[in-house]
Amino acid sequence: MALRSPIAQAAAANPVIAWDINAQQAIWDVAQQQPNEQARSFAMVHGAVYDAVNAIAGTPYRPYLGAPAADGTESTDAAVATAAYQMLVSLFPAQLARLQAQYDAALAAIPDGSPKQRGVSVGAQTAAAMIAARRNDGAFGSQTWQVGTQPGQWRPTPPTFASAGAWTGHVKPFLLPSASMFRTSGPPALTGNTYARDYNEVKRLGAVDSAARTADQTSAAIWWHDRRLTEWEIKRQVAVSQGLNALQAARMFAMVDMTEADALIACYSEKEYWNFWRPVTAVQLGDTDGNRATVGDPDWMPLLVTPPFPEYTSGHTCFTSASMATLAFFYRKDSISFSAYSPAANATRHFTSFSKALAEVVEARIWGGVHFRSADNQGVRIGLSVFAYMAAGDYFKPLRR
């Protein structure tokens, strides 16, 4: 008999972890949602799960949307399964048969009786509340990116010349009052020294054939770029290593996923506002930017395929800074070790702290040739600002001691 991984063993005992794995299957393995879409889906699932588990636990923490009536005898397993299942079906109706099979298997493992039935009811109520709250929230709207023709203005990039995700900055945030509340002062002036520094750094390190980039840096760039986000595995792994129970895991996933989602919404609002060109455009048209310290190369290409939207600020650093700061806040320490495997890189990367992971993603976006350092640094600031807003507010706070 094969030994199960620690996460698989934990999933068998903790329904929140089990349904996070199921959510990943629906959101990425099957639907292939992109990061801006994934963030919203995970936040919706875990917001509903958190409200259900919190209600059954006696509402020790402030609910996100509300707490259905519960006396603590309801089945938490049934509530989690129902909340997650109903959220996923609402998001992915074409996956109904597969999700129904997962749900039926989860319920079959729970003894029949009133606790099971009332757990199902609690989960159904929190899912219904989330579905109602996110109806017409702006997701998948008709917005398009503005295509520019002047130096510094974004335009679709090779090899795909795609344009996607412009609706993201118009989505109703989960926690923030406004997507634009952390507006930055914008990218550096094209004719300045900061831009020249950023330009020459990414041109040297981020080229597809860069001789300055090490093999490990190349692997890191691909690892962090994987659309099957390694952050999912990190959250589950740390939840297991720190021995979280269902309530703790539900609260942690909801906190992290909603903060991540709002950081991306704020980031995409920035992208639309500044509409800044990507390194591949900047380098290929480098002789048009008015900066004597930049030399164009019409044949330059980045290591990674450039995402189909404007450059400033970096979505990945917005997302990862929000994620890592929230994890450190939840666990009350930065120095927790973790690792994750990326199929795209066919590699596992190891970190001894949340801050070290964040520091690497800043560099990795430059090594991949898809971001300037200024955009990475400002993305970190946006993610940390979103985290600070969440941490200072009433969200997820204890209601009793």
Side-chain angles (χ1 to χ4, degrees), residues 30-327:
V30 178
Q32 295 282 292
Q33 284 194 330
Q34 294 304 297
N36 58 311
E37 303 164 336
Q38 299 163 1
R40 173 179 176 269
S41 297
F42 273 107
M44 291 173 68
V45 170
H46 281 295
V49 166
Y50 164 71
D51 275 352
V53 178
N54 190 46
I56 292 173
T59 321
Y61 300 102
R62 186 174 297 280
Y64 174 63
L65 292 176
D71 63 12
T73 62
E74 298 82 3
S75 167
T76 296
D77 286 18
V80 170
T82 302
Y85 161 74
Q86 293 193 3
M87 286 308 312
L88 290 169
V89 168
S90 75
L91 289 165
F92 307 106
Q95 298 186 42
L96 174 60
R98 191 185 60 79
L99 291 166
Q100 183 74 55
Q102 289 180 330
Y103 181 57
D104 289 347
L107 288 191
I110 304 169
D112 290 333
S114 178
K116 178 179 180 177
Q117 295 169 356
R118 287 182 288 113
V120 167
S121 176
V122 169
Q125 290 177 70
T126 61
M130 181 63 76
I131 292 168
R134 301 308 298 185
R135 188 171 292 123
N136 300 320
D137 69 353
F140 306 102
S142 60
Q143 293 86 358
T144 57
W145 300 109
Q146 181 178 353
V147 177
T149 58
Q150 298 301 308
Q153 295 178 343
W154 179 82
R155 70 271 337 246
T157 55
T160 63
F161 295 97
S163 176
W167 53 266
T168 309
H170 297 266
V171 172
K172 180 177 73 174
F174 287 85
L175 308 174
L176 301 178
S178 167
S180 61
M181 67 182 293
F182 299 121
R183 181 73 72 224
T184 73
S185 58
L190 293 183
T191 55
N193 292 334
T194 300
Y195 177 74
R197 179 206 67 193
D198 287 357
Y199 174 103
N200 287 310
E201 179 182 46
V202 74
K203 181 183 178 184
R204 179 174 63 91
L205 289 172
V208 65
D209 56 354
S210 172
R213 188 181 58 243
T214 68
D216 185 66
Q217 289 170 342
T218 298
S219 181
I222 297 169
W223 192 92
W224 282 106
H225 194 67
D226 196 340
R227 304 296 88 178
R228 178 193 175 276
L229 297 185
T230 49
E231 279 91 344
W232 305 330
E233 187 175 340
I234 290 168
K235 283 180 286 190
R236 289 194 290 262
Q237 185 180 121
V238 176
V240 173
S241 73
Q242 301 303 300
L244 300 193
N245 61 29
L247 175 61
Q248 292 167 332
R251 181 169 173 257
M252 182 272 282
F253 277 111
M255 287 174 68
V256 176
D257 287 351
M258 289 186 183
T259 306
E260 289 171 342
D262 277 9
L264 274 186
I265 292 169
C267 171
Y268 274 68
S269 177
E270 283 285 287
K271 288 179 180 293
E272 180 180 57
Y273 189 83
W274 297 109
N275 202 45
F276 199 60
W277 62 6
R278 288 279 183 171
V280 62
T281 309
V283 175
Q284 290 185 1
L285 300 178
D287 292 338
T288 71
D289 61 20
N291 194 317
R292 289 183 295 177
T294 63
V295 176
D297 180 352
D299 297 321
W300 190 91
M301 287 292 288
L303 170 68
L304 304 173
V305 174
T306 300
F309 36 77
E311 191 264 348
Y312 183 94
T313 58
S314 165
H316 213 128
T317 64
C318 284
F319 182 94
T320 305
S321 60
S323 172
M324 297 301 157
T326 305
L327 287 167

